[in-house]
Amino acid sequence: MAATDAGRNGAIVSLLIIGARVVATPRGSGALSGAAQGALAILEDVVLRCEQGLIAFIGTRTEHDRRFSPADEVLDAEGGTVLPGFVDPHTHLPFAGYREDEFDRRLAGESYAQIAASGGGIVSTVAATRNATFEELLEATLKRLDRQLLSGTTTTEAKSGYGLDRDNELKQLRVLREAGRRHPVEIVATAMPGHEVPPEWRHDPDGYVGYVVSEIYPAIAAESLAEGVDVFCEKGVFSPPQARRLLADAGRFGWRIHLHADELTDLAGAALAAELGAASASHLLHASEQGIGALASAGVIAVVLPGVSFFLRDRFAPVRRLIDAGVPVALATDCNPGSSHTESMVQIVILACLGAGMSTEEAVVAATVNAAAALGRADRIGTIEVGKQADLVIFDMPSPKHLVYHFGVNLVRHVVKTGHLVVVDGKRVTTSE
Ligand code: NIG
Ligand code: FE
């Protein structure tokens, strides 16, 4: 890397990336489905210019030098592959405490549902998150954001849902707001008091639903702390009628709708997501044919979470049936301490291919533009095209196939976020904004 002439006031306003063997990217500003889900443009012999946070040029070096003055900074990709920064459209980032004891029990054969029924599961993380201070939760969240960034994620969704009362849900979402101010990874916050019925409301789940709708949601909306809302629709958690009630006010607050659907049982969650006009439905391991058809007709994005299948030693979502039915598939980590403890979208892409049967190209589309579409951002991020935000990852690999083919190591070399180098040679650097 060589820094040349610094820009106005010393700020780096233009960055030229040279020496890439391949730039691989989906194209367009919306979710890709069917055959288009597997279409990656492969560009060779191109340089990339980032300017004022956007991609300003993709083409030959000669053409670049004819049209532009020298960039403030030049990065040599040294034969690597450039992909769009990953977008992680489903995480539970602001949590406290860990559940390795439960993990041990699962390794010994107990199921996630059995552990939850015996008083473990989500409620144990709720207790730890309620006990954590704002600063403790912020520190834990910032560390996770660092791990995401170092594995190539430049935008992440993050949910509340381990507070489950007004003040603790607000605490989680305020942590996300503060983390977004301090960290280069862009955070898209989702309100999820509909994650579980907390212990103090166990005797009256409908009463809890009423409390969420009348007290927690308005408090979140009053501080503009969320862009979307999510509910865990599952046997023993929230029934479809309760989920419907929890999502009925989304329009009033201007929130996008997301749903945890058909994860452990088929409750017709996919059809519910379609009926409510959800942006995405996650999990879908047990989705029926009718449910899949409803997602396709309504244009709901399926957020597949192969980390959960792997971590819980469960089946994988029916990815091939989803793609064949024309449902756009996105991938996410679901980063949480119970069912998928990872921040790495690279690991998720690998599991999606080797576990769920996606091609590398389909998985890359799922982890970039389709994930961006699930968060209403495909017009701005998720592809490498002129005019899009300059969120890029340079991998130490000769082709995008190596993302999966060369598994188990971190091939992320450099990360560019909004035109700034934020990871160089695998290490975080502070930006010169
Ligand atoms: O997405 N399914 C519900 N919620 C999380 C698990 C959360 C937890 O176990 O703490 C999920 O898998
Ligand atoms: Fe989840």
Side-chain angles (χ1 to χ4, degrees):
M1 187 179 68
T4 54
D5 184 29
R8 257 179 306 125
N9 306 324
I12 303 295
V13 293
S14 59
L15 168 71
L16 182 66
I17 301 170
I18 61 168
R21 175 146 172 185
V22 179
V23 175
T25 181
R27 288 221 161 105
S29 296
L32 300 174
S33 58
Q37 168 107 41
L40 270 192
I42 303 288
L43 314 172
E44 288 170 347
D45 295 322
V46 296
V47 300
L48 270 170
R49 184 183 178 97
C50 311
E51 184 127 14
Q52 308 282 6
L54 303 179
I55 297 167
F57 176 82
I58 308 167
T60 64
R61 179 74 195 256
T62 316
E63 172 77 359
H64 172 272
D65 292 352
R66 200 172 57 73
R67 285 180 42 193
F68 295 89
S69 49
D72 299 324
E73 195 164 21
V74 177
L75 177 74
D76 188 346
E78 292 176 343
T81 294
V82 187
L83 296 179
F86 292 125
V87 178
D88 188 344
H90 180 146
T91 81
H92 301 258
L93 280 196
F95 65 83
Y98 295 100
R99 311 217 301 261
E100 60 270 60
D101 48 335
E102 288 180 13
F103 183 67
D104 259 356
R105 285 166 65 186
R106 279 211 318 283
L107 287 181
E110 267 186 89
S111 74
Y112 182 79
Q114 282 167 334
I115 290 168
S118 73
I122 293 176
V123 294
S124 58
T125 300
V126 170
T129 304
R130 285 178 173 178
N131 279 331
T133 64
F134 177 90
E135 284 71 26
E136 287 164 347
L137 210 48
L138 178 61
E139 194 186 324
T141 303
L142 288 168
K143 270 195 181 165
R144 290 180 194 121
L145 289 165
D146 270 351
R147 290 190 201 103
Q148 287 183 295
L149 190 64
L150 289 168
S151 45
T153 296
T154 47
T155 300
T156 187
E157 188 263 9
K159 305 174 199 298
S160 66
Y162 290 122
L164 306 187
D165 62 30
R166 194 197 55 200
D167 291 352
N168 283 297
E169 287 288 304
L170 288 174
K171 178 175 74 182
Q172 282 194 285
L173 291 165
R174 287 177 186 146
V175 160
L176 291 175
R177 181 176 57 193
E178 184 57 27
R181 288 179 182 144
R182 296 201 197 175
H183 203 278
V185 171
E186 180 178 343
I187 301 173
V188 183
T190 303
M192 200 179 179
H195 192 197
E196 176 59 291
V197 181
E200 66 275 19
W201 284 96
R202 268 277 151 212
H203 63 289
D204 183 12
D206 284 324
Y208 178 66
V209 171
Y211 163 65
V212 169
V213 170
S214 63
E215 293 201 35
I216 305 187
Y217 285 167
I220 292 170
E223 292 184 42
S224 301
L225 286 170
E227 275 189 32
V229 59
D230 199 339
V231 171
F232 187 17
C233 182
E234 183 58 63
K235 206 154 106 190
V237 190
F238 296 103
S239 67
Q242 288 170 335
R244 205 178 263 113
R245 204 170 146 216
L246 283 164
L247 295 169
D249 270 343
R252 178 152 76 90
F253 300 125
W255 290 342
R256 251 188 324 271
I257 292 177
H258 305 282
L259 194 67
H260 283 56
D262 304 330
E263 176 182 358
L264 306 169
T265 48
D266 176 13
L267 280 192
L272 179 63
E275 173 200 318
L276 296 173
S280 76
S282 293
H283 291 288
L284 302 168
L285 271 63
H286 296 264
S288 66
E289 281 313 313
Q290 293 97 300
I292 291 174
L295 294 177
S297 311
V300 180
I301 296 171
V303 176
V304 166
L305 309 168
V308 177
S309 304
F310 174 69
F311 206 68
L312 299 186
R313 301 200 284 174
D314 200 346
R315 66 166 89 169
F316 285 87
V319 168
R320 295 265 45 100
R321 286 196 285 132
L322 288 162
I323 292 177
D324 289 349
V327 180
V329 172
L331 289 168
T333 61
D334 195 14
C335 179
N336 77 75
S339 66
S340 183
H341 194 201
T342 182
E343 291 91 351
S344 168
M345 284 295 282
V346 174
Q347 295 303 321
I348 296 304
V349 163
I350 291 168
L351 292 171
C353 294
L354 289 165
M358 296 179 89
S359 70
T360 304
E361 291 75 9
E362 287 171 338
V364 169
V365 168
T368 56
V369 72
N370 282 8
L375 301 179
R377 281 163 165 70
D379 57 337
R380 180 157 63 80
I381 56 174
T383 73
I384 303 175
E385 294 173 290
V386 171
K388 286 274 184 97
Q389 192 166 298
D391 290 3
L392 312 163
V393 184
I394 294 108
F395 291 87
D396 188 9
M397 60 187 189
S399 89
K401 304 253 185 227
H402 284 242
L403 202 55
V404 179
Y405 167 62
H406 191 168
F407 75 100
V409 289
N410 190 0
L411 297 170
V412 171
R413 182 105 192 263
H414 315 293
V415 181
V416 176
K417 177 64 185 174
T418 330
H420 292 275
L421 269 166
V422 288
V423 173
V424 174
D425 285 326
K427 296 209 170 53
R428 267 290 312 273
V429 291
T430 45
T431 62
S432 49
E433 281 165 280

